[in-house]
Amino acid sequence: MAEKRAITDRWLRSASTDRPQEHTKDTIQRGFSVIVSGRTGAKTYHVRTSFGGKQPSRTIGTYPEISVRDARRLAHDAIEYAREGVDPRSLRLVETSNGYLAWDEPDHLLTHAEPHTGIADGGESDRSFKAMAEEVLRAKAPITRPRTQYDRRKILDNHLAVWSDRQAASITRRDVVLLVERIALKGTPVMANRVLAMIKMLFNEGVRRGFPGVEANPAHLVSKPAPEGGREVVLHRDELGRLWKEIEREKDTTANIFKLALLTAQRIGSVCSMAWGDLEDHLWVIPAKKFKGRREHLVPLARESVAVLEYQRLISGTEAYVFPSRGGAKKPHITNPTNAAVRLRARTGGVWTPHDFRTTFRAWATRSVDPQRGEAGLGILPDVADLVLGHAPQSLRFKPYTADESEYRLDEKRDALEKWAAFVMQCARDIGRPPLGHLSPREARTVWTRNTRPPQ
């Protein structure tokens, strides 16, 4: 029987077998797998789809010629082609002009009005705004994060549907201004900005791709209907202590999600989608598909984070995900716990969001340790704090590390998160509630050693 685990670059790099071949199925993308040959050491990606009442399988390519991120994306696209009635075995792998790998559908299989180009026989509908939008979104899908694809689709369906049947070339700057202003007047100015940004992107791509009749972008020179400022919510020491106290009042799984989000300073969505296969020797390896920067990100785990994870292991049992969803849910893991955040804000009297945990970490981490300069911080270098958060270095004009970017300054990141976890625990003690009452450090280490391997 094939092993199941989250296939990552880090794992695949060292994967080997004494058997003729080892078949491993991915727990992130259904149908995606890799076969490691015991004789040659070759590592070949495969995808299994559902087509014509059967489940044909085809190869994608080999590692490291194709990265895990690209192979997983190609597997997803092959499955989507099968759903649309295209035999995935007939697809050809090509490299696009911008260097990305993608499937090329043979022309003889296009039995309808070429959904991949949006241009058929020159009919009126093919020049519509909807046809242009569908063409652009499909063309950009291989290089767009799933979450961004979802957000763009919602904007198209909810706010731009009024233009669906209009010819794209007939839309004027006046139409754009009136549409985004109308959205802003409904009390959603930020959404109005997002809609405007998407209109600009669609028409820019339409012009670049030579969509029939589109020679200029009507959204050019249209200003945002509302200004936007970055969030500057930083929790003070007493607020951090009270927040930890209230988090521990939540149910175990919910509490553990918020604890890890706070202790690791990572995005709440990444925490929710954490798999046991992503954990390696006190290290959390966030796969490129789950990471906003579209690259593998390594997060060292402080002792307090390990304790939280080992308590959660007792709850999740043999599930592949650290925070598995309940039966019948669309995703195999819990998604953003919005209701819990609302409860916690109400009890703490704050205006924070889980994303502000990251802002809070950076603010305290980069403050001076000298109390004479205000509230004493942790004295961590700003660039190290940014590496913990996964931000790309802004001040460097060169590639700072060429061996394994994800491990760049890993020891400094570990030290920073150890200091941050100790700081949060001290804030909790100052409120008068002992932190992490579930497991002692010795118990945590014992359970961690026993259970670090993902479930088979």
Side-chain angles (χ1 to χ4, degrees):
M1 181 178 292
E3 177 189 5
K4 292 184 178 180
R5 61 162 297 139
I7 297 174
T8 65
D9 277 293
R10 187 180 181 86
W11 169 77
L12 196 52
R13 194 180 306 130
S14 58
S16 62
T17 180
D18 296 330
R19 294 188 284 180
Q21 66 178 28
E22 186 80 31
H23 189 195
T24 303
K25 294 182 178 180
D26 189 30
T27 57
I28 299 175
Q29 172 62 57
R30 186 181 182 89
F32 177 52
S33 63
V34 65
I35 294 179
V36 179
S37 171
R39 183 172 62 87
T40 65
K43 302 163 185 177
T44 308
Y45 302 111
H46 289 259
V47 57
R48 183 174 295 279
T49 62
S50 179
F51 179 79
K54 299 181 180 180
Q55 291 187 326
S57 176
R58 68 155 295 158
T59 61
I60 297 174
T62 58
Y63 178 88
E65 287 75 18
I66 301 178
S67 69
V68 172
R69 179 186 69 179
D70 287 340
R72 187 179 283 117
R73 171 178 56 78
L74 289 167
H76 173 269
D77 291 347
I79 293 171
E80 290 300 313
Y81 270 114
R83 288 175 180 170
E84 294 175 5
V86 177
D87 189 342
R89 292 168 295 187
S90 67
L91 299 174
R92 297 169 299 187
L93 194 61
V94 298
E95 185 172 349
T96 64
S97 58
N98 53 11
Y100 284 90
L101 294 173
W103 297 117
D104 183 35
E105 182 177 347
D107 294 338
H108 70 275
L109 293 177
L110 294 177
T111 57
H112 46 79
E114 293 199 26
H116 310 305
T117 63
I119 305 170
D121 300 325
E124 200 70 20
S125 62
D126 299 315
R127 296 173 176 262
S128 68
F129 174 80
K130 183 175 178 61
M132 182 185 73
E134 293 290 351
E135 176 183 338
V136 170
L137 293 183
R138 186 174 186 91
K140 294 182 74 69
I143 57 173
T144 306
R145 292 188 306 128
R147 176 67 195 187
T148 303
Q149 294 184 47
Y150 173 78
D151 291 341
R152 287 174 174 173
R153 178 62 58 181
K154 283 187 64 176
I155 291 175
L156 183 63
D157 294 340
N158 297 339
H159 299 287
L160 300 179
V162 293
W163 291 348
S164 292
D165 298 328
R166 288 186 57 177
Q167 288 193 37
S170 71
I171 295 171
T172 65
R173 183 171 297 143
R174 178 74 172 168
D175 294 326
V176 175
V177 170
L178 293 178
L179 177 66
V180 296
E181 285 184 349
R182 186 162 60 247
I183 296 171
L185 289 174
K186 291 180 180 179
T188 53
V190 174
M191 178 53 69
N193 292 345
R194 301 292 179 271
V195 172
L196 176 60
M198 181 163 169
I199 293 172
K200 289 183 177 181
M201 182 273 294
L202 291 175
F203 275 99
N204 280 337
E205 288 296 309
V207 172
R208 187 182 67 81
R209 297 175 65 83
F211 190 83
V214 177
E215 301 295 337
N217 189 339
H220 181 56
L221 298 181
V222 177
S223 301
K224 290 182 179 181
E228 287 187 52
R231 292 186 58 86
E232 295 294 339
V233 177
V234 176
L235 300 176
H236 296 289
R237 293 180 64 103
D238 58 333
E239 291 175 316
L240 278 171
R242 287 198 302 271
L243 174 60
W244 189 272
K245 179 178 179 179
E246 294 302 330
I247 286 175
E248 290 198 319
R249 290 179 54 191
E250 292 288 324
K251 293 182 179 179
D252 288 337
T253 296
T254 302
N256 290 340
I257 289 174
F258 280 91
K259 286 178 180 179
L260 282 177
L262 184 57
L263 291 172
T264 63
Q266 301 306 306
R267 295 177 179 86
I268 193 78
S270 297
V271 173
C272 290
S273 63
M274 181 190 295
W276 290 112
D278 299 337
L279 302 173
E280 302 177 9
D281 190 24
H282 292 206
L283 194 66
W284 174 20
V285 183
I286 304 180
K289 182 174 182 177
K290 299 180 184 179
F291 188 61
K292 185 177 181 180
R294 296 177 64 87
R295 64 183 185 279
E296 190 179 80
H297 179 51
L298 269 56
V299 182
L301 297 172
R303 184 182 63 180
E304 292 80 2
S305 297
V306 172
V308 174
L309 281 167
E310 290 314 322
Y311 182 60
Q312 183 60 28
R313 170 70 94 172
L314 302 176
I315 299 172
S316 65
T318 59
E319 295 285 348
Y321 286 91
V322 177
F323 304 107
S325 59
R326 297 176 181 176
K330 292 183 178 179
K331 289 191 175 183
H333 58 79
I334 293 175
T335 54
N336 199 345
T338 307
N339 292 335
V342 171
R343 289 194 302 270
L344 288 168
R345 275 196 299 270
R347 296 204 299 264
T348 59
V351 293
W352 52 266
T353 69
H355 198 77
D356 294 322
F357 297 169
R358 292 163 58 80
T359 308
T360 301
F361 160 77
R362 194 185 190 285
W364 283 105
T366 56
R367 283 180 183 172
S368 170
V369 295
D370 184 2
Q372 300 297 324
R373 299 174 133 186
E375 288 190 280
L378 305 180
I380 296 168
L381 293 174
D383 57 331
V384 175
D386 287 335
L387 287 172
V388 169
L389 296 172
H391 293 163
Q394 298 295 318
S395 60
L396 299 179
R397 299 280 180 173
F398 58 92
K399 199 175 186 67
Y401 192 71
T402 56
D404 189 339
E405 284 188 72
S406 60
E407 296 187 9
Y408 179 54
R409 301 177 75 174
L410 186 60
D411 289 339
E412 292 175 83
K413 289 164 62 176
R414 187 182 302 279
D415 181 63
L417 283 171
E418 290 282 359
K419 289 180 179 179
W420 169 245
F423 177 80
V424 173
M425 295 300 96
Q426 186 59 52
C427 292
R429 283 189 287 270
D430 291 344
I431 294 297
R433 183 179 181 85
L436 282 174
H438 302 306
L439 294 176
S440 69
R442 175 175 294 179
E443 291 171 324
R445 286 193 296 272
T446 301
V447 181
W448 176 268
T449 302
R450 187 171 63 245
N451 292 318
T452 45
R453 291 186 60 81
Q456 302 297 317

